[in-house]
Structure formats: structure tokens, C-alpha cells
Amino acid sequence: MPAVSKGDGMRGLAVFISDIRNCKSKEAEIKRINKELANIRSKFKGDKALDGYSKKKYVCKLLFIFLLGHDIDFGHMEAVNLLSSNKYTEKQIGYLFISVLVNSNSELIRLINNAIKNDLSSRNPTFMCLALHCIANVGSREMAEAFAGEIPRILVAGDTMDSVKQSAALCLLRLYKASPDLVLMGEWTSRVVHLLNDQHMGVVTAAISLITCLSSKNPDEFKTCVSLAVSRLSRIVSSASTDLQDYTYYFVPAPWLSCKLLRLLQCYPPPEDGAVKGRLVECLETILNKAQEPPKSKKVQHSNAKNAILFEAISLIIHYDSEPNLLVRACNQLGQFLQHRETNLRYLALESMCTLASSEFSHEAVKTHIETVINALKTERDVSVRQRAADLLYAMCDRSNAKQIVAEMLSYLETADYSIREEMVLKVAILAEKYAVDYSWYVDTILNLIRIAGDYVSEEVWYRVIQIVINRDDVQGYAAKTVFEALQAPACHENMVKVGGYILGEFGNLIAGDPRSSPLVQFNLLHSKFHLCSVPTRALLLSAYIKFINLFPETKATIQEVLRSDSQIRNSDVELQQRAVEYLKLSSIASTDVLATVLEEMPPFPERESSILAKLKKKKGPGAVTVELEDGKERGELNGGGDRGGDAAIAASNASTPSPSADLLGLRSTAPVSGTTPSAGSLLVDVFSEAGPSATSAGVNDDGFLSALHAPEASDSPLVEGPGDSDSAPPTVASEDPAPPLPESDELLNKFVCKNNGVLFENQLLQIGIKSEYRQNLGRMYLFYGNKTSVQFVSFNTTVSCPGELQSQLNVQTKTVEPLVEGGAQVQQVINIECLTDFIDAPLLNIKFRYGGALQNISLKLPVTINKFFQPTEMAAADFFQRWKQLSQPQQEAQKIFKASHGMDTEVLKAKLLGLGTALLENVDPNPENYVCAGVIQTKAQQVGCLLRLEPNAQAQPGEQMYRLTLRSSKDTVSQRVCDLLAEQF
Amino acid sequence: MIGGLFIYNHKGEVLISRVYRDDIGRNAVDAFRVNVIHARQQVRSPVTNIARTSFFHVKRSNIWLAAVTKQNVNAAMVFEFLYKMCDVMTAYFGKISEENIKNNFVLIYELLDEILDFGYPQNSETGALKTFITQTGIKSQSKEEQSQITSQVTGQIGWRREGIKYRRNELFLDVLESVNLLMSPQGQVLSAHVSGRVVMKSYLSGMPECKFGMNDKIVIDKQGKGGGNGCQSIAIDDCTFHQCVRLSKFDAERSISFIPPDGECELMRYRTTKDIILPFRVIPLVREVGRTKLEVKVVIKSNFKPSLLAQKIEVRIPTPLNTSGVQVICMKGKAKYKASENAIVWKIKRMAGMKESQISAEIELLPTNDKKKWARPPISMNFEVPFAPSGLKVRYLKVFEPKLNYSDHDVIKWVRYIGRSGIYETRC
């Protein structure tokens, strides 16, 4: 071969690529590639060594073939060899191949890492850059492991070239994002922060991205960057546009750097140092001033760059929320943008104003723009801008302008875009409720809402109306009158019929005096809508009818006639048929007294968070709603991403669990009216909860405990009430004292009365599993703390305390746990328990740790109950009765009669009684339905014999099944305590 | 019914577009190009459904023929038509290529108008078409000629015109078979069948009545002379005939009688699966020596009368995907490693019956990171032998022409048997 110019031009490669491009069909292309692959294979296989040029050429060809979509399974070695070449082009191709085709082949990775290491220490800036780019492009965990220590050193070293520093900063950022646990800044922190002072603007820009990311995770460590950033910012802002030469973009000095600086400052609260703060305020004012200046250029790039800085500055002002002057100025500036020609600017202005509206300082200023915003809502062409306008209206609403805004939104709703209707409806409903001065206005508004946009009114909205009407006596009459009038329209939305049915059923009597709305007229009006409705609505109407029978005896005959008709009593829908049959029987058999009791007016609903609000949050997702921002403010310190993640989690958990109001009306379970069966589902779940943990505990070993229990416990959720509940979100109590025990800890305690193993507690961060064993008066408990996050918990500390007299009753010894819990890891703690004498309370377990800087403080009750020290005693029937009689003093007996809450499955009952620790005695009680048990409670001081008898009345209606539990023991406190504990179990 | 017909070149450019029905829009042309010709994956199915429209395509060298319909048509009919269309085009201008199609596009539109009417296939017999669609330009035809064409095309025997005269009455009969085989490495037949056709080329005067006889098992058994003259009978699994054959007569007596079209026609097609004579046996021997070497030895044995000669023998031995070098030694013929096809191709020009020949190859492999094992695709083979592997024999072909004065003895008849390989594979 003649000596071709062995430079960059690879003729063979060019020929190959043009061959492929000229192929007339796919088959021809494959043939050409096969031929080339065979050629490369024979070249690589060949005994004589290839020179760098041909190696590079063949690796290039392989890369090209791979990018065409064919598999490449060789050539990696040759590519790695290229890395050690000292020609730039060869090295570059080698790195390119590695970044595109690297797989976790162990031996090659070692070679690659070696080559990268050599390049990093080579002092040749281009080679260093190549190596850094490769690390960042691959960005795998292995890479992070190998180089996370090396790169910060390069970044802060004095003699590193500027271009290398830039690459190093961005490379480190990439590694940190991929595996944050491996990049430990530690000693480098301050030197990295001082990169903000670097001469070279490129280095500053690269470094600030890194610092922003790092400081959002550990704000404390990077606190010093605030003052540096402020001084840097002020230098840029105050510089003339010509000072920065290469970094001036269309007359705007360093726009990207300014934006990044402003964003970094948003990670921190306002600076405390007065001088720094003054300087920053000055900067922000300068930026606001500059926005007023006439543009230096007509080019769109100039205004874009200027506005970018301005918006970033405004979001910083909003974030600080402490400078009334600035806030108002920002608001005015945004007000100018509201009518700008540029759609994007209008959008951004509305969006920023939305957050401004929630600040107390600028709320009034925002309100001055109400006309413009309403105008935008009506005339804006772009639907996303209209949506922002609606958001802003919602955010700026308060008592003074609520009526106007709600009216505007209602009128807009008629022409609104379909995609935002449901959200608009929710917002109107919330505003109407929140700012309702008189509730008749509220009722009017909601009924209007249903009339205008019935299809978009979700269940929650009309549930909420009914909740409010029922809880407030003063509007009931008005509500009844209004719905009656609304129903008279020839076509009503089904939701209107639902509201009407419910309200007339409850409060129809309040308007029955008027001959125009006499009971029969009311009934006929409702019934005229009956046939047009879906099954759930019909079911609701049937309930309304039976209430009518109670309220107005004169309608009884008519309604019974309706109920008796074939279309009701033989309806193909089971629910309707059952209701019709039951209501008919109820109305014909029961006396008026019974009827009045059964069909009493609904009791007021307990006050709880508006379900509509939850729904809106769910709809909008995290971060976007102003309501959430209000919540966020209460939390005090905002330091960027960490908290927002929490918000997201809450919103997500709201989304995943059925909202608390789902059972509001009890449409499915008609228990308060007719006493039908609790749905079969709950029984099933209950059985699961028993079967789940016992099944797993068999195959559990200590390491796998957390993971093994996790799956079955998921089916347990109705009992655990863990992550789904909004109040189990990580409690961020700042004090160091043990927090009061969680409200559900009693419930958790009850869960463990009849079992020894399971998950005690779980929230988004932590899961606590328990394994325990008891012998005589001694017990040993293993607690497993599992870190569910990927971030380590620091200063993890647990204490077990025995409050009050429990100290003298129970002797508890704990071993301390490691203060560090790695992400995803699990630690074990052993607790030894000795029972000195009988006791009632349970010891408290307090857990404290820091997660992402925030102190978590959780208190729980340890599931140690008196029954754990039961020793089963087998005895014959005669024995049993003899002892039973011996313990006949009234204080020795404790008895309870209670309703079965879980159904009466024999096997489940038996399992529970055995789990209690007593011996289940067969063939003792003359009635085979009854259960008797015997056991001795072992304490250090004494032994307390205990006899138990449980009598179910299984024949009763499901739902009305009752138990009688009798306990006799030689000590009165013991009988009482065990009886209390056990009563919760069935 | 066919809604339209498009012809594309390999790039997907439309060469011919003829739409017969309104339900096929203009965008159908692009839909097929985008979803089939330019599809990311190779489209294997000949029928593609795109947006409730069915596309039936066949590919000839680089040319795509696609029939389009929105209705639920008989797919077999559409393909039969497409193949017929190819035959007609071949008969008119030779090889189907982009060049030829561009040069003859007027003719093709004319043909399409004739053989497809409102999407219903019409007479597509080349002989008949050639009487009124000619390539010699517009030639004014006399009234008589025109009426003659009309009566013939619309008449009972649309495929043959009257008044044909030859000085020598000649008749050629070709039995063309292709034999398909899949064999296990141990020599066990996994599946085998022969699909064959009888092609007839006739130059006969008048309207001759012909009768064709072969060693069909049913006929032989009926006549009760199974082993009488040593002629083996064969069991035909299924067969189809040219439209000239009187099917009623075949159904009743299983005799094949017909008035042949002038020139070439495919008289019948058939398929057999029993008692197939396999012309070649392939004995593979593959040995893996370590991770970087493979030794292959293949022996082929011819299994027919030593007096016959097989031709155009080609054995294709697949090689692994990481082959880096091949050394081949063969006694007979030429063998070469073709990298573009990942195979060793061994070609032998001629080989007599009851002989054997052998090739051995050493394949060097490049060690790869891939743990996947080589799938060992089967060794395939191509050849041509001068006999019918199904065992079919032509017993007679009698010609009667009562009106003209020549008899069966005066007709010169030629019979030729050609057996070719279809998919003839042996696993290794």
C-alpha cells in the first residue's frame, strides 16, 4: 500500500460509508457489512500487529456499523489499545468507541480505567479533557467508584488549565447526579466554592452548575457560596456590556452565568449579613431598572437574554418573600408583561404572578391587575396561557373579590376549553367554599356549577356540598328550596339529580309547607328524573324515597307502589333490587318509631380537609399549585429540592389511596339505613392480614426480613394505615425531645397482641420490622430498622423508655445501634425484656435520626403486652369448671360484650386465640360454638392463672354478630387488661 | 375485488399506478411505501393491512407489485392474478426490470385495462391478449379481423383462435419439478416434498383434441395393470390444471383431455410427498476445536443411475458470525468462502450418479465477548438432474384432429424431465 496521508482522512472508511449509502436494498447493505466485518475480523486476528492508523480506521468502521443498528461483539480490545496511543485522533476514536459501546465487562473495565487514569495524570490538557468527557459520557457507577476521588483534585488544583477545570466540574456534576453517595466533597468544599472567584468566566459557569446541585443537597456545607455569588453577580450586573468581551451576548453581560447565580441564590434563605444583603438588593434593583431601559438592540436574542435574567431575579425575589418594595416592583414589571405582544412573556408573567399572589406583601399589588387577567382568560388564544390566567385568578382570590372572580370563572366555564374544565370546576368549588360569607351564595354557586358544567363536576364536589349543607343548619331550608327549583328545569344533569335526591330526602320537610312544593310534588319531581339516571343515582333516589316515607307518611302508598313495581323489585341490578325489597319491607313492617330511628337525619360529618382540595392537588401534581405553596410556607425553611420531593410524595400518596370522602355518602354500604352486610371484601382483607405475616414468618431469615415482609404487608394496608395516611408523612419536628407517640400507635399495638412477628411501622423513609420470642417471664425482641431511601440516615438513635409505674413492672434492656444507616440498608437491634409483675401500659420506643438534614423524631409503643407472658395450660373439662368456679369473686371476672368487627371465621378465631398464648381447650364447653382457653401468666413476682371464655352468636345477621368475652383470673387487673386487649381483636 | 394496482421500484418510487375503485385514495400509494418498502424491519408477510386497507405484494428482482383492496377478497385469487400479471409482462417484454417497465408503460396500462375490469380479473391468457394488444403500434384492422377477435375472445374457447396452420405439427412437454428436503445430521428425513408442473409447448394445426396420460396411481390401479409393464405408479397429493382442461371429464374418469392454447402453457401443477427419489445425500461433520477453530467436512453422494449427469451443483456451508479466516480443500469443483453471505460456497459443474465427493474446511474464529452459541444453520444445496424426483412418467399424449388430415402419428412429440432443488437442506 502506498503511503497514504496518515492523518485524519481515512479513505477506507469513506469508501465503506459511500458503499453502504449506495446500496440499493437492505440485503445489499447487509452483504456489504458482512464482508467488511469478515475483513476486520481477519485483520484483527492476523498475526502481524496493526499500526495505529489502521486500528483507528477499523474501530471507526465498527462504530459506524454499530450505529447502523448491527450487533458488534468484538473490537473492544483494539479500542482499548487505541486509548494508550499518544495521537489525539486515535485516542479520540478509542474514547468514542468506549463511550458508545462499553459494557460492564470486568477485565476491560479495568483496562479502560487504567488508561483513563494515565490520561488524567498526563498533564496534557486535551488528553485530560478527553478522559473527563469519557467518564461523564459513560457516567456509570463503576466510573464513579474509580474516579470520584480523583476529579475534585483536578478541579481545584492550581495548575490545571481552565478548559480542563470546566470539563472536570461538569464531569463531577454528572457523576454526582448518577451516584450521589460516591461523590464526597468533604475537604474540597471550600475550594470548590472559591471557584466562583475564578478569573475565567467559563470555569465559573461550569462550577456554578456543580455548586447549585451540591448545595441543594447539603445547603449547610456550601453556605459560604452565598456571599461569593452575590459579589460575583454584582460585578456582572454593574459591568458595562463591553467589559466581559467574549461573554457578552447581544449587549447583555454573561446572561447564562447571571441566571445560574440567581438560581443558586434561590437555594438559600436571604443572606443575614447586612452588607451582603444590601449588595444583593442593589443588584436586583439594577436588574429591574435595566428592564425599564430601552432595548439596546431590536434582535430577539437581546430581549430574550434580558428577560431570562429578569425572570430569574423575580423568582429569587419571590423566594425571599421579604422585601416588600422589590416584590411590588416585580409585580408591576410583570403587569407590564401581561399585555406584551410575545405569548411566551405573557405566559411567564402569569405564572410568576401566581406565586407572587401568595405573598402577603405583593398580594394587593397583584390584585390591581385583576381586570387584565380576566381579560386574558377571555381573549387569550393559547389555551396554556388561559390556564395560567385561571391559576392566577385562583391564587389572587380573597374575601374581597371572591364573588367577582367566581362569577367570572363561572361565566368563562361555559366557553372554556374542555381540557381545563374539570380543574376550573374544582377551583370554583374551592373558592366558593373558602370565601363563602353566606352559605346560600355557596349553594347557588355550586348548583350553578353543576348546571353549567355537570359533566366535569367530580364526585368530590357534590359530596362536599352535601357535607356542608348537612353540617350547617342555616342553609338547609334554602338548599332544599334551591335544588327543588333547579330540578324543575326540563333537563338536569345527573349530578344535580344526585344532590337533589339527597337534599330533598334529608330536608324536604323544610319546604313541604308550601303547596307548590308539597311532598307529593317533590316526589313526583324526583321520580320524573329516575328513569334517565344511572344505577348509582337510582340507588340514591331509592334511599331518598324511603326517607320520604319517614318524613311524609302521606306519600307512603305512592312510594310503596313504586317500590313494588316490577321495574324495581325485579330489577336486574342486584343493588337496586335489594334496596327496593328491603325498603318495601321496612316501610310495611316497621312501626313509625322504628322507621324514624332507622331513617333519622344524617349526623353532621366530622370536619376534615376538603376532599376537593385533595383532588385538585392530585390533578395538578407536585409543585404547580399555589395551595401547596401556602402549605410549603408554613414549613418555614425552604431549601430547594428536598422538601419539594416530600410534597411530591404526599401528593402521590394522596393519589394512590382512595380519598377519605369516598365513603362519605355510604352509597355502597347502606348500613345506617338498612343494615345490609358489610361488603364481602372487608372480610377477605381481614383473612389476608392474618394469613400474610404468618405465612412469611415461616421462611424469614434475619437478612431478608425487611424485603420478605414488604410484599405481603402491602395487602395489609387497611390495617396498617401506614403510608397512605396523610399524617404519617415524615414528621419534621425540630425539637430534640422524644415526640409524643403517633396517634396510630395504639392501633399498631393491637395488631401485635396475637402475633409476634411483622411490620410495626412504616412511612416513606423508614420501615420497622419486629421478630419476638417469649419464654416464661422473659422475652427477646429483634427490631429491624430498614432505610427505604437511597440516602443514609445519620445520628440514628433509638431509646426504649418505660413511663410511670411501668418502670417497676417491666425491666427492659436494649443494645445501642449504629448511628449510621446506609440507604437501602437495614440494622438490627435486640431488646431483652423481663416481666417483673403484671402491667398495663406498653413501653415507648423513640427513634431519632437525620434525613437530608431534617431531624426525624418518631415515637411508637413497643408491642409488649401482658399476654405475651402466657404459658399455655392444658386441662380437662372437669378441671376447668372447678377452677372457673373457684375464681368466682366479682372482681376476678371481667366481661365484655362487643360487636364483631371482622366476621366469624372459626379458623381465624382459633388462630387468634392460640396467638394470644393460651391453650385452646377442645370439648370443654357444652356449646361447641364457644371457645375456652386457659393459661398462666408468668411474671417474676407471681404466676397468675387465667381462664377465658368466648361466646359468639354466629346465627345473628352478619354485621350484627356479637361476642361475649369472659375472663377470670386470680388477679383483677390482669383480667381487666387481657379482656381489654382481646376485645379489640375480634 | 382489487381496488388498485401499483408498481414500485426499489426506492419506493411509483412506476405504474392504476386505481380501479373509488375506495382507494391517493394516499394508499404512500402508505405502502412507508409501511412496507421503507419499513424499519423487513416485512416478511406478503399481505399487509394498513388502516383497513389490504396490500398484497410480490417482488420481482427490484420491482414491487402491490394490489390494494378495502374489501375482503380471496387472497389466493389476488396472488394468482399478480403472478399471472408477471407472466404476461414477461411474455410481452422479457425480464421485469425498472428499465423495461419504464419503456413499456403505455403497454402496461393497456394490459391492465384489459386483464382487470373494475377490479375483476379477466382473460389473462397471453396468446389471446397478443391477438389484440400488440407492440407494433396502432395498426388499423379490417372489420373481419376485428369481429373475429371479438368472437374468439368472447367465445367458448377463449384461449385458442381458429384457423391455425403449421407445416410440421410439433409438441414439447416439459416435466419440471423442484424437490424440497430437510434432513437431520444423522440422515433421517424430517420433511420432503416435490412440487412439479407440466409445461406444454404446442405447434398444432386446427383445433386438436389432446389427451394426456401419466402414471397416476389411481388410473393405473383402475386399469388393473399396476405392475404389468414395470411402470411404477405415483400418488399425487393434489393438482391444478390449466383452464383448457375439461374438469368434468377429469372428475368422472380421471382422464386429462383438452384443446391446448397455441404456444406455451402450463398444463398442470401437482405436489407429491411419498416415495420421493432424493438425488443427493449430504453428510456433514462439524468439529469444534477449542474456542478459535472449527473443522468442517462435508460429503455429498449422488443417488441416481450412473448414466445420468447432475448439473449446476452448489453446496452452501454456513460459517459462524465470528469467522476470521477459512482454508478449504476439495477434490472436485471449486470452493470459496463468501464473507458477505457468511458461507462457504462449493460449486461442481457436473456429477454422475452413484458417485461421492468431499470437501473439508478449517475455519478460524475470533474470540468474542458474546456468550451466545452459534446457531448452526443448515447446509443447503442446489442442483439440476435430468429426471423427475417424484417418479412421474408421461405415459402418452394423444392428439386427434378430426377436421384436418393429420393423425396422432404425424405429430412430433418431445418429452423432457428436469428435477431441480427447492429448499434442500441438511442440518449439521
Side-chain angles (χ1 to χ4, degrees), chain A residues 611-751:
Chain A
S611 50
I612 314 178
L613 218 55
K615 166 102 178 176
L616 184 67
K617 276 187 203 167
K618 176 171 129 189
K619 206 170 148 49
K620 294 281 274 196
V625 205
T626 49
V627 182
E628 233 169 318
L629 274 178
E630 288 167 20
D631 296 350
K633 268 202 295 185
E634 288 165 21
R635 213 171 297 150
E637 262 205 8
L638 256 177
N639 50 29
D643 272 10
R644 236 165 266 162
D647 263 2
I650 297 171
S653 69
N654 272 335
S656 63
T657 50
S659 93
S661 68
D663 60 342
L664 178 74
L665 284 184
L667 268 193
R668 297 301 310 165
S669 60
T670 50
V673 196
S674 66
T676 42
T677 44
S679 61
S682 69
L683 181 69
L684 211 63
V685 169
D686 207 7
V687 172
F688 258 123
S689 73
E690 271 307 300
S694 62
T696 50
S697 62
V700 167
N701 58 9
D702 290 1
D703 315 295
F705 188 69
L706 184 71
S707 53
L709 272 183
H710 195 241
E713 279 300 320
S715 69
D716 236 351
S717 59
L719 282 188
V720 181
E721 290 293 7
D725 231 333
S726 54
D727 55 7
S728 72
T732 44
V733 185
S735 74
E736 289 287 328
D737 299 328
L742 293 179
E744 68 265 31
S745 57
D746 273 325
E747 201 179 316
L748 294 173
L749 189 69
N750 283 330
K751 206 178 105 187

Side-chain angles (χ1 to χ4, degrees), chain A residues 943-972:
Chain A
Q943 297 192 344
V944 183
C946 200
L947 302 174
L948 176 153
R949 191 171 187 215
L950 182 70
E951 296 158 286
N953 68 334
Q955 283 78 19
Q957 282 289 320
E960 307 207 323
Q961 291 174 335
M962 308 288 275
Y963 289 108
R964 184 165 69 190
L965 177 69
T966 318
L967 262 153
R968 288 188 178 184
S969 75
S970 48
K971 202 167 176 190
D972 48 353

